[in-house]
Amino acid sequence: MPETTTMTSRSRTRHRMTLVAALVMCMVFGLSIAPAAAQQTTLEVLSFLLTNRTIITGDFDRDAQAAAATRDTIATIVAQEISTLPVSSSSGGFAYRIDPTLGAVVRASDSFGTFYTERSLTAGRHRASFGIGYQNTLYNTIDGYDLRDGTLVSTAATLNDQQFDAETITLRLRTDVMTLTGNYGLTNRFDVGLAVPFVRMNLQGERVDTYRGEAFFQATGSASASGLGDMVMRLKYNVFDRGASGVSLGLETRLPTGDEDNLLGSGDFTFAPRFIGSVEGDTVGFHGELSYTLNTDTNTLGYGGALTIAATPRFTIVGELFGRRYDGLGRLTSTTVPHPRLAGVATTRLTGVEETTDRLLLIGGIKWNVTGTWLLTANVLRPLTDDGLNAGWVPTVAFDYSFGS
Amino acid sequence: MAQPLSEHDEELGSIDDFAPEQPAVQPIDDDLELHADLEPVPLRLPDTRRGAGNARSWFVGMLVSLIVGGVWLGWRAIPPAAAPGETTAKPIASSTVERQPIERPGIAPPVPSSSEPDRAVSVDRSTPPVEKPRPAPVEKPQSAPVEKPRSASVEAPRPPVEKPRSASVEAPRPPVEKPRPAPVEPPRSAPVAGSPGKAVEGPSPPPSLADASRASPPLPGPATAPAPSPPLPVPTGEEVPSALVAAPEPAPASPPATTEPRSSGGASRSGVEVTDNVAIQDLLGRYRTAFGALDVASVRRVWPSVNQRSLERAFRQLEEQDLSFFSCTINVAGVRAEATCVGSSTFIPTVGSRSPQSGPSQWNFKLSKKSAGPWLIDEAQAR
C-alpha cells in the first residue's frame, strides 16, 4: 500500500508538472510571437518624436542633445519602472512546521505574505511554488508632466516670456507584463527564487506644433515590442525566526536579458542586498525591508513596509508602502536659453538632468486561497509622488501554486 | 514694444517688426511656410507596430493559458486514474480523502474519546507483568555492572524489573494470546547500544485500516511473519528502531528475573516501578489519543501546563492528525520521569494541500507526579 501511494503520488506530481510546463509554454509562446523584425526600435521612435523639427532655434546641436537626453531619461525611467515587479513568494502561507514547545504541527504563518516588500518567512524545505502574474500599466505622467493631454512641451520659442510657437508631445505608453515566478526552499531557512518577466511595450506618440494658437499636426510614431524582460534571481536566508517573525537577509540580482533598445529591459546587471524583518502575530503582521541596488548607472535605495491582516485562514489583506530613491536616474526638466540671434526670443527645451529621484508607491490588495494550494493575488498600485513614470492605478493579478512537503 | 534692440539692431531692425500682426522673425515665417505644407500631410514615421496580429497573438496566448489553467483546475478535481502498472488497492484521491478520512493512507481516524482504550496502552495493560510462567532464573554473567543506575531499557511492560527502572516500551501491542518465554533482563551494561537491534515480528490480529495505512513497507505483513520467538508480538508490522528496541533475548535460558527481587529492591518497589511505567505509558497513550482527536481539553488533562491558546490555534489549523509511537523509552526518577518516544505523525491541514503530510517523529516528555497523584506531562518537545 505505501508503494502504491507513492507511485500514485508520483504520477499525480508528474501530471501536475506536465500541466505547469504546458501552461508556461503557452504563456511563453503567446508572448513571444513577433511576426517580423521592427523597422524602428521603440527608442528610435521615441527619439524621433522628441526631436525638434519645426521651430527654428538657431542651435540644432542643442536641440539634438536635448532630445537625446530626454529620450534617455524617459527610457531609463521606463526600464526602471518595468523592472519593479512583485516577485515575492506566498508559499510560506502553506507551510506547516513543528512547534517544538507545543509538540504539534502549526502553520508557519496565517497570512500569505506581501506583494513588493519581502517578509522574513521562508517557504520551507523542499517546498516550491510557481506563479504567474499579469500587470497592465497605462502611464499618465512623467516627472509631473502629463503625457497624454498634449501639454508636454518639447521645444518652444518665447518672445518676452510669451510663448508663440511650441512643439508638444503626446505619448501613450502602455506595458503589459506577465511574470512567471518560481521559488524553492532549499532548506527550512534558505530560499531561491526566479522571476521571468515577459513584457509587451506599446508606444504611440504624436508631435503637434502650435504657432500663435493654431495647431499643426507634425508627426506620429508608434512602436510595439514584446519579449523577455530582465530576469530576476533571488536568494533569501532566514537568520533568525520566532514563529513567523524573524530577520532574513536577501540578495536580488537582475540580469540584462531584456532588449534595452525596445525598453524591455534596463540593459544593466544589478545586484541588491536586502535586509528583511517581520513581526507577525496571529492575525496581524508587520514587515519591513531595506535594500540597496548597485548598478553601473543608478544606485537605488529601496525601502518598504507592509501590513498583513489574516482576515480568515484563507484570506489575507495587504497594504504596503514601497519607496525607492534613485541616484542619478534622471529627471525631465525644461531649460530656457536665449535665441542666439534673435533679441528677446528664448528657446525652451525639454531635456533630462541627473538628479536624485524619489518614488513612493501605495499598494493595496488581497491574497485568497481559492482551493488547495492555489492562491489568487490581486492588488492595485498607486504612486504617491510625481517623480518618475506614473500611472493612475496599476492593477496586478497573479496566481500562485505551491507544492512540496 | 518700443524697447531698443541692443544686439541685433542692424540685423533685425526695430522690435516693432515683431508685432503679432506682422511677424518680424522672418526665418521663422519662412519656416511657417513649411508648416503650411506639412499640415495636409502629417509627417509619419514608418509604422513600427508589429501588426494587429501581434496583439491578437498576445491575447490568444493569454486566452489559451487561461483555458489551460481552467482545464487544469477542473481536472484536479477529478481523481486521477491509476497509471498502468499501478495497483490502487485503496482510493487515495483527494475527494475520497475528504469523505472517508478513515481510509486515508497514513491517517488514522480520530479516536472518539480518550477513555477508549488506546491501541498501544491497552495492549500494554493487557500484558500483566507477573502472571506468566517463566523458567527459572539464570544468573547472568557479571560483566555488566549491576549497579548502573536507571539507564537501561527493557521490554515493557513486563514483569517488574528491579534495576534499572527505565523501560523501552514496545507499542502498540495486541493482547498476548499465548504463553511466551519469560521476559529477560537486558544486558545491564549497555542495554540499548549493545543490543543488535532488529524488527520485532510476531503474530498479530488483523490490523485496522488505520493500522494498515500506518504500516511501514519494509516489514512483511502479519500474514507472512514467521513464527515468533520474540517476547512480545507487534501487530502492525512496524519496524521498531533498533536503537530503541530492547535487547533481544539470547536464549530461553535467559534469566526471567523480572519478578525476582534483586539485590536491594523489594517486590513492592518493583511493583511501584512497573506501576509507574504502566501509568506513564497510559498517559502517553492518552496524549497521543488527544492529539489525534485534536481535543485540547483532553490534552490539558494529561498536560495541564500546555499553552492552551497556542494549542487551540494549532488544532484549528489541522483537519486531521494521527500520532503513532513506535517505541518509548521511559526513565523514572522518583516523582519525575522522562520519556522519549519515536514514531510518526501525519496530518491534513485545513489550509493548503489535502495530501497527508508528515509531522514530528520524536517526542521528549518530562513528567512528574505528586504524591499519590497521577503522572502528568510537564513539558513536551517534538522534532
Side-chain angles (χ1 to χ4, degrees), chain B residues 41 47 52 73 83 141 144 159 169 172 188 222 232 246 250 255 267 369:
Chain B
V41 184
D47 193 354
L73 277 174
V169 181
R188 293 176 189 170
L232 289 173
K369 69 171 181 179

Side-chain angles (χ1 to χ4, degrees), chain B residues 146-148 150 161-165 188 260-270 273:
Chain B
V146 177
E147 52 279 347
K148 182 157 186 175
R150 299 180 181 186
V161 286
E162 176 182 341
K163 191 184 290 186
R165 294 180 60 189
R188 293 176 189 170
E260 303 293 330
R262 304 290 292 189
S263 57
S264 58
S268 60
R269 183 177 171 185
S270 297
E273 290 163 355

Side-chain angles (χ1 to χ4, degrees), chain B residues 118-130:
Chain B
D118 174 78
R119 188 160 58 100
V121 174
S122 63
V123 169
D124 291 339
R125 284 199 216 104
S126 68
T127 58
V130 215

Side-chain angles (χ1 to χ4, degrees), chain A residues 337-346, chain B residues 3-15 18:
Chain A
V337 296
H339 193 283
R341 292 183 292 118
L342 302 179
V345 176
Chain B
Q3 296 174 10
L5 299 175
S6 57
E7 295 181 358
H8 305 291
D9 278 350
E10 292 182 0
E11 182 181 350
L12 300 174
S14 169
I15 192 64
F18 285 89

Side-chain angles (χ1 to χ4, degrees), chain A residues 60-93:
Chain A
F60 287 103
D61 289 339
R62 185 168 287 178
D63 291 346
Q65 289 172 5
T70 304
R71 175 204 62 203
D72 293 343
T73 300
I74 292 176
T76 305
I77 291 173
V78 170
Q80 288 291 343
E81 183 66 22
I82 289 176
S83 65
T84 305
L85 296 171
V87 291
S88 62
S89 168
S90 302
S91 55

